[in-house]
Amino acid sequence: MNWDSLLPSQYSFFDAIQSMANGEAFLQGLTDLFILATWWLGAVVFVWALIVTALSFSRTRRFERGLPKPGGATRFEEIRAEWVKRNGSLAHAFDELLVEVPRPGASLERELRRTGSAEEVFNESSLARRIIGNRLFMATPGILTGIGVLGTFVGLALGIGALKLEGSAIEDLNSSILPLIQGSATAFSTSVWGVATSLVFMILEKFLEGGARWPIRRLQDRLNRLVPRYLPEQSMIDLQRSSIESEQQLKGLAVAIGEQMQKALDRIGTSVTEAVKEALGGQAQDLGEQSAKLMSE
C-alpha cells in the first residue's frame, strides 16, 4: 500500500500554488493546497485553544491563591477584606453572598455564612467562557471536514470535466480516464485529512475543556468548605428555638413578678393596719365598745 499518496507533494502554500500554475500538476497542487489549509487551520485554532485554556487556568488560580486551608488555623474571615480587594468584581460578587449571623448558643458572637453557592459566581461562564462553549471551537471540526470534502468534490469535478468522450478509439478513452482515476485518488486524500484533523481536534479540545473545568471545580469546593451555607430551614429552626426559650423566660418572669407583688401587697396591708392602730391609739377600744352597744340595741 502506498501511504505516500495521502501526503501532499509540497509542504508550502507557495509551492502548491506554483504547481497549480503548471497545467500538468494542477490537480495535485490543488489537493496539496486543500490539505495544507486543513492542517494549518486545525493547528492555528488548536494553539488558540491552548492559549485561552492557559489564561483561564491562570485566572482561576489567582482566586485560589491566598485562601486558607479548610480546617487550618487561619479562617476566611481574617483574610476576607484583602482577598476581595485583590481579586476584583467576581470576588465582590461572592462577598455579597456572605452574611454574619449570631453564633448558636452565643448570641453576642457572630460567624460568617453564605446565602448562596460558590457556583453562582465562579463557574465556566465567568472563568472559562473563551474555551468552554466557544462557538469557534465547536464549529472547527465541521469546518475541517467541510474543507476536506470540498477539496474532494472540486478535484472530482475538474477530473470529470477533463474527460474527452468524443473520440471513438479505446486508446483515446483510456488516456482520458487514467488522469481522472489518478486525480480522484489524490483528491480523496483531502477528505481523509479533513476527517482525521476534525477527530483529532475534537478529542484535544475536550481534553482542554476538562483541564479548564478542573481548577474551577476545585475553587468552588474550597470556598464552599471555607464558608458554610446558611440555610433558611436552619434559620427557622433557630427562630423556633429562640421563641421557646423566650416563652420559658417570660413564664419564669411572670411567676417571679407575681410572687414579688404578693409579698409587696402583704407588706402594704400590714403597714396600713399598724398605721391605723397607731393613729387611733386608745380610742380604738372605745369605738369598739360603742359599736358593739349600738349593734346590740
Side-chain angles (χ1 to χ4, degrees), residues 50-102:
L50 279 176
I51 293 174
V52 297
T53 301
L55 292 175
S56 173
F57 185 85
S58 175
R59 189 183 186 193
T60 306
R61 288 287 297 169
R62 186 189 69 179
F63 288 103
E64 198 172 3
R65 192 179 302 116
L67 288 177
K69 295 182 178 180
T74 305
R75 297 189 304 169
F76 182 75
E77 293 89 331
E78 301 174 7
I79 56 96
R80 173 186 177 185
E82 180 183 355
W83 181 79
V84 171
K85 182 179 179 181
R86 184 178 67 246
N87 292 309
S89 59
L90 284 180
H92 281 283
F94 180 74
D95 186 65
E96 292 177 356
L97 298 177
L98 306 181
V99 293
E100 293 184 352
V101 298

Side-chain angles (χ1 to χ4, degrees), residues 2-23:
N2 186 13
W3 293 100
D4 294 336
S5 61
L6 295 176
L7 299 175
S9 59
Q10 293 92 14
Y11 293 89
S12 170
F13 283 102
F14 182 73
D15 295 338
I17 294 173
Q18 280 188 335
S19 297
M20 292 176 63
N22 186 2

Side-chain angles (χ1 to χ4, degrees), residues 160-206:
I160 293 173
L163 282 176
K164 297 179 181 179
L165 302 177
E166 292 84 0
S168 58
I170 299 299
E171 292 78 5
D172 295 338
L173 186 60
N174 289 337
S175 62
S176 177
I177 293 176
L178 183 60
L180 173 62
I181 296 175
Q182 293 175 347
S184 300
T186 306
F188 273 110
S189 61
T190 62
S191 292
V192 173
W193 282 111
V195 174
T197 53
S198 173
L199 292 175
V200 171
F201 179 85
M202 190 182 304
I203 293 172
L204 294 177
E205 192 262 342
K206 294 304 178 184

Side-chain angles (χ1 to χ4, degrees), residues 48-49 79 96 270 276:
W48 175 244
I79 56 96
E96 292 177 356
T270 303
V276 171

Side-chain angles (χ1 to χ4, degrees), residues 141-295:
I143 294 174
L144 294 174
T145 303
I147 291 175
V149 174
L150 178 63
T152 298
F153 282 116
V154 170
L156 290 175
L158 293 176
I160 293 173
L163 282 176
K164 297 179 181 179
L165 302 177
E166 292 84 0
S168 58
I170 299 299
E171 292 78 5
D172 295 338
L173 186 60
N174 289 337
S175 62
S176 177
I177 293 176
L178 183 60
L180 173 62
I181 296 175
Q182 293 175 347
S184 300
T186 306
F188 273 110
S189 61
T190 62
S191 292
V192 173
W193 282 111
V195 174
T197 53
S198 173
L199 292 175
V200 171
F201 179 85
M202 190 182 304
I203 293 172
L204 294 177
E205 192 262 342
K206 294 304 178 184
F207 274 108
L208 292 179
E209 283 191 6
R213 281 192 174 97
W214 173 70
I216 297 175
R217 296 285 188 269
R218 187 175 62 183
L219 176 62
Q220 294 170 352
D221 181 68
R222 193 166 180 180
L223 287 172
N224 288 335
R225 285 188 294 168
L226 283 173
V227 186
R229 181 74 178 266
Y230 186 68
L231 299 175
E233 293 81 2
Q234 184 63 38
S235 63
M236 295 178 65
I237 294 173
D238 294 339
L239 181 61
Q240 183 181 9
R241 185 184 298 114
S242 177
S243 300
I244 294 174
E245 293 177 355
S246 300
E247 184 180 357
Q248 293 176 350
Q249 292 176 358
L250 289 174
K251 288 181 179 180
L253 182 61
V255 173
I257 291 175
E259 292 178 354
Q260 295 298 325
M261 289 184 65
Q262 184 64 37
K263 292 179 180 179
L265 290 175
D266 291 341
R267 287 196 297 269
I268 291 173
T270 303
S271 300
V272 170
T273 302
E274 293 178 354
V276 171
K277 288 181 179 180
E278 291 178 358
L280 294 176
Q283 297 178 0
Q285 185 176 0
D286 296 337
L287 289 173
E289 292 177 354
Q290 292 178 4
S291 298
K293 184 178 180 181
L294 290 173
M295 289 178 68

